[in-house]
Amino acid sequence: MRALITGITGQDGSYLADLLLEKGYEVYGMVRRSSVEKLDRIEHIRNRVKFVQADLLDQLSIINAIRQADPDEVYNLAAMSFVPTSWSQPVLTGEFTAIGVTRMLEAIRLVNKNIKFYQASSSEMFGKVRQNPQNENTPFHPRSPYGVAKVYGHYITVNYRESYGIFAASGILFNHESPRRGLEFVTKKVTNAVAKIKLRLAESLYLGNLDAKRDWGYAKDYVEAMWLMLQQGTPDDYVISTGESHSVKEWVQASFSCLDLDWEKYVKMDEKLLRPAEVDLLIGDSTKARDKLGWKPQVNFEGLVKLMVEHDYNELKV
């Protein structure tokens, strides 16, 4: 089996590449040409992955990449994925995260309609939620340009499935973290700061809204669900989540307690870090994925926090 992963250098792409290589796949990674290559997350498998150069903004390059890789499965994980940036770059976010999905699907339609396609949808599509918990039938009300773009990507995937008979599945993944998470994300920002404070490399941590609640899982668990979706007889959409919701404050408390620190001594509020429109509560109902895919998360909230804090502490301690 051959798979092409867009966004292979990101958190999810790197874990998915690990998984597919373990399963005996030939793995291709779609990367953009850049003067500085950021391959740190896949350095350990770099020699086992084949790279094809393409850009989600360039239709012809995507068509050529799919022809070159000739994959059985395409996993579209590439996006402008940091929500706060989507307010400062809303048009570019739309180009990558929305129209980029159309370009991927159009390339598949033109090159080989038998390729199975996975689209990385997001719990940010629910935004101002209409019901708790959220499942596959919950209406979307996105609260950021990123969320809006993801809704477009989600529905264009459904449209190509229904219009052209392409095996196109979407995973509506709730927040998922890992030691490979980028420093700009609040979870990693916190665990990294805790490690620095413990090692006396930092004195404080500035955060925005501590009351926002998220359903946090482990990225390594979640990429298995992506693969399972493309092994089914028919394509469908699935919510992937733990079914538990925790506030940013709870994440902070758990992180600091891992290293026996009192969070209230170090954490300070910064209003500049508040979003223009906040998503207050996300909690997913992954019953369908558990029943149909046989999937369930292996790492709980406390285990995830501990995993990340210990990793950051050991990395910085050297």
Side-chain angles (χ1 to χ4, degrees), residues 161-177:
R161 180 168 73 213
E162 295 176 352
S163 302
Y164 300 114
I166 291 171
F167 191 113
S170 288
I172 307 172
L173 272 57
F174 279 64
N175 293 62
H176 45 288
E177 318 297 322

Side-chain angles (χ1 to χ4, degrees), residues 9 31-40 46 51 53:
T9 59
V31 290
R32 278 189 291 168
R33 173 78 182 91
S34 84
S35 53
V36 182
E37 288 189 329
K38 294 183 178 178
L39 302 176
D40 50 308
R46 188 173 179 176
F51 296 100
Q53 286 190 355

Side-chain angles (χ1 to χ4, degrees), residues 94 132 138 140 183 202 231 264 295 307:
N132 287 308
T138 303
F140 300 137
L183 262 176
Q231 312 316 307
E264 291 182 283
W295 176 87
L307 192 72

Side-chain angles (χ1 to χ4, degrees), residues 12 118 120-124 170-176 222-223 225-226 229 238-241:
D12 292 7
Y118 171 84
S121 289
S122 167
S123 59
E124 288 287 328
S170 288
I172 307 172
L173 272 57
F174 279 64
N175 293 62
H176 45 288
Y222 284 35
V223 299
M226 299 176 186
M229 286 178 215
Y238 298 88
V239 163
I240 304 299
S241 64

Side-chain angles (χ1 to χ4, degrees), residues 5 19 26 57 62-64 116 123 130 135 169-170 209 211 247 280 313:
I5 303 170
L19 177 75
E26 195 175 330
L57 303 184
I62 296 169
I63 291 170
N64 287 335
K116 292 184 175 183
S123 59
R130 314 280 184 90
N135 62 32
S170 288
N209 182 12
D211 297 321
S247 67
D280 300 313
Y313 180 76

Side-chain angles (χ1 to χ4, degrees), residues 73-107:
E73 299 170 355
V74 169
Y75 295 86
N76 185 41
L77 311 185
M80 184 77 83
S81 63
F82 186 48
V83 176
T85 302
S86 72
W87 274 285
S88 59
Q89 299 182 7
V91 176
L92 191 60
T93 297
E95 283 286 351
F96 276 117
T97 309
I99 306 301
V101 185
T102 314
R103 293 190 186 104
M104 291 298 301
L105 286 161
E106 191 65 1

Side-chain angles (χ1 to χ4, degrees), residues 91-219:
V91 176
L92 191 60
T93 297
E95 283 286 351
F96 276 117
T97 309
I99 306 301
V101 185
T102 314
R103 293 190 186 104
M104 291 298 301
L105 286 161
E106 191 65 1
I108 287 170
R109 184 182 73 83
L110 292 169
V111 176
N112 178 5
K113 288 204 298 185
N114 293 320
I115 293 170
K116 292 184 175 183
F117 178 78
Y118 171 84
Q119 167 60 14
S121 289
S122 167
S123 59
E124 288 287 328
M125 301 188 306
F126 295 121
K128 193 178 176 71
V129 297
R130 314 280 184 90
Q131 67 181 57
N132 287 308
Q134 296 90 51
N135 62 32
E136 293 80 7
N137 299 313
T138 303
F140 300 137
H141 187 152
R143 298 266 282 173
S144 67
Y146 170 79
V148 172
K150 279 291 185 184
V151 170
Y152 177 98
H154 180 81
Y155 277 126
I156 201 68
T157 301
V158 172
N159 188 256
Y160 270 68
R161 180 168 73 213
E162 295 176 352
S163 302
Y164 300 114
I166 291 171
F167 191 113
S170 288
I172 307 172
L173 272 57
F174 279 64
N175 293 62
H176 45 288
E177 318 297 322
S178 75
R180 297 182 192 175
R181 193 51 138 162
L183 262 176
E184 67 272 25
F185 291 87
V186 68
T187 47
K188 182 70 168 181
K189 181 179 176 180
V190 171
T191 59
N192 183 262
V194 169
K196 283 183 173 177
I197 289 167
K198 184 69 174 181
L199 294 164
R200 297 182 180 171
L201 300 173
E203 295 178 353
S204 54
L205 168 62
Y206 290 88
L207 295 171
N209 182 12
L210 294 181
D211 297 321
K213 291 188 171 182
R214 294 291 184 272
D215 184 328
W216 277 301
Y218 181 31

